[in-house]
Amino acid sequence: MSQHYACITFDFDAMSGLVARGLTTPTPVSRGEFGAVALPRILELLQRYGIKASFFIPGVVIGTYPRECEQILAAGHEIGHHGWTHVPPANLTPEQEEDGLVRGIDIIRKLTGDAPRGYRSPSWDLSTSTVELLLRHGFLYESSMMGNDHEPYRVRQGDVVSVDEPMQFGKSTPLIELPISWTLDDFPHFEYLRVGQSLAPGLQNASGVLENWVNDFEYMRRTCDWGILTYTCHPYVIGRGHRMIMLEKLLNSLQEKNAQFITLEQAARLYDERSPFIPA
């Protein structure tokens, strides 16, 4: 029997992603504040459809919006690790990265009573130390890489990457990758962002994005009997009125295609049962 899963995930960054880019003046901060305004809309929509989602939250955001994070937890959603700040691990020293990882684990444990089982890197940019740190601190899965579309896989450790030599792949680890894609992320489609000489135009029509997102699920249905597709949204992005309508249309369309909605932790455990790790 075919089984096709959809994971609806949210990065509740608030202003942390903008602050990490040096945007600390009132307007970008207020832009991030809208995430807290949008969150109740999102939670109500998920409740109406009976969907449990995965929320990845930086530690500084848990500290800034404790009440909102408690609401996420009370609604039965998964809370995953998204760094202490939103600075990408690739921009940190190994010591800074581990310190932030530990601080994030501690504040999530204080919020939920348990250590997080999943990790998503800020800006989806892992460092060469990240996998070792996630294994050391007992994570089941991570969701920041793009080596597949709807098939989880085991994260490798020890890759050797050279500009002028063939790639040397490292060994697989127990850590499960639940792959993502910029194409299934709301931010690059919708957010206008100007930093220095860089411009992300965003502001695309939601109907075209919806069509792409639905068709990715349809392609999974047509080409495999078992798969997991992960969508990534940000409350301050998807929470705008016309995009909330798009999100509801997405949930409707996926239901019509017999999607089974699960959290990323549930997805990782399903994959682990289906493909147990065998050490090399």
Side-chain angles (χ1 to χ4, degrees):
M1 182 177 177
S2 296
Q3 294 178 305
H4 298 110
Y5 300 95
C7 294
I8 309 299
T9 74
F10 298 88
D11 293 357
F12 183 29
D13 297 336
M15 64 286 294
S16 67
L18 300 166
V19 169
R21 293 176 168 90
L23 302 174
T24 59
T25 52
T27 295
V29 168
S30 70
R31 184 174 171 179
E33 285 181 74
F34 182 73
V37 174
L39 184 65
R41 307 175 183 179
I42 293 167
L43 294 178
E44 187 278 329
L45 178 64
L46 294 173
Q47 181 180 22
R48 188 154 26 101
Y49 278 80
I51 293 171
K52 300 304 181 186
S54 298
F55 284 78
F56 293 88
I57 314 176
V60 294
V61 174
I62 296 175
T64 303
Y65 292 110
R67 184 177 65 87
E68 286 78 2
C69 293
E70 288 168 0
Q71 290 171 346
I72 295 170
L73 180 67
H77 302 295
E78 176 189 5
I79 293 180
H81 201 301
H82 198 39
W84 176 254
T85 69
H86 205 278
V87 175
N91 294 346
L92 301 173
T93 67
E95 293 75 21
Q96 290 171 330
E97 184 177 0
E98 183 165 29
D99 178 69
L101 190 68
V102 170
R103 293 179 76 185
I105 292 170
D106 288 345
I107 200 169
I108 290 173
R109 183 182 282 115
K110 183 178 179 180
L111 172 66
T112 68
D114 293 302
R117 304 300 291 141
Y119 174 82
R120 173 172 284 167
S121 167
S123 300
W124 290 342
D125 196 3
L126 305 179
S127 77
T128 56
S129 302
T130 304
V131 175
E132 178 184 351
L133 292 173
L134 295 179
L135 291 168
R136 183 186 306 168
H137 290 279
F139 283 83
L140 171 67
Y141 75 88
E142 92 91 38
S143 184
S144 313
M145 293 196 284
M146 309 180 190
N148 209 305
D149 45 9
H150 46 252
E151 176 71 25
Y153 58 93
R154 300 287 175 173
V155 178
R156 293 190 309 273
Q157 189 176 25
D159 285 357
V160 179
V161 184
S162 175
V163 173
D164 60 352
E165 295 292 339
M167 175 93 176
Q168 297 180 39
F169 294 111
K171 293 182 178 180
S172 293
T173 73
L175 188 66
I176 295 168
E177 178 63 35
L178 295 168
I180 43 75
S181 169
W182 288 115
T183 63
L184 294 173
D185 184 311
D186 61 355
F187 189 94
H189 297 299
F190 295 133
E191 283 303 297
Y192 177 89
L193 184 64
R194 186 177 65 240
V195 181
Q197 302 302 310
S198 175
L199 174 66
L203 307 181
Q204 291 190 35
N205 185 291
S207 297
V209 177
L210 173 63
E211 182 179 4
N212 289 346
W213 286 15
V214 172
N215 282 344
D216 272 355
F217 189 86
E218 175 62 24
Y219 181 78
M220 177 175 67
R221 290 180 70 214
R222 293 184 184 187
T223 58
C224 68
D225 292 329
W226 189 95
I228 298 168
L229 196 65
T230 298
Y231 298 90
T232 303
C233 298
H234 301 73
Y236 81 89
V237 180
I238 204 69
R240 298 288 174 180
H242 66 289
R243 298 174 194 154
M244 286 297 298
I245 291 174
M246 171 203 146
L247 180 58
E248 183 165 9
K249 288 180 178 179
L250 173 68
L251 302 183
N252 265 316
S253 296
L254 296 180
Q255 279 190 341
E256 290 172 357
K257 294 179 182 294
N258 299 315
Q260 298 182 57
F261 294 96
I262 58 176
T263 67
L264 284 186
E265 181 177 354
Q266 290 172 322
R269 295 195 184 282
L270 284 175
Y271 176 75
D272 201 32
E273 293 172 3
R274 180 181 176 88
S275 303
F277 176 67
I278 300 175

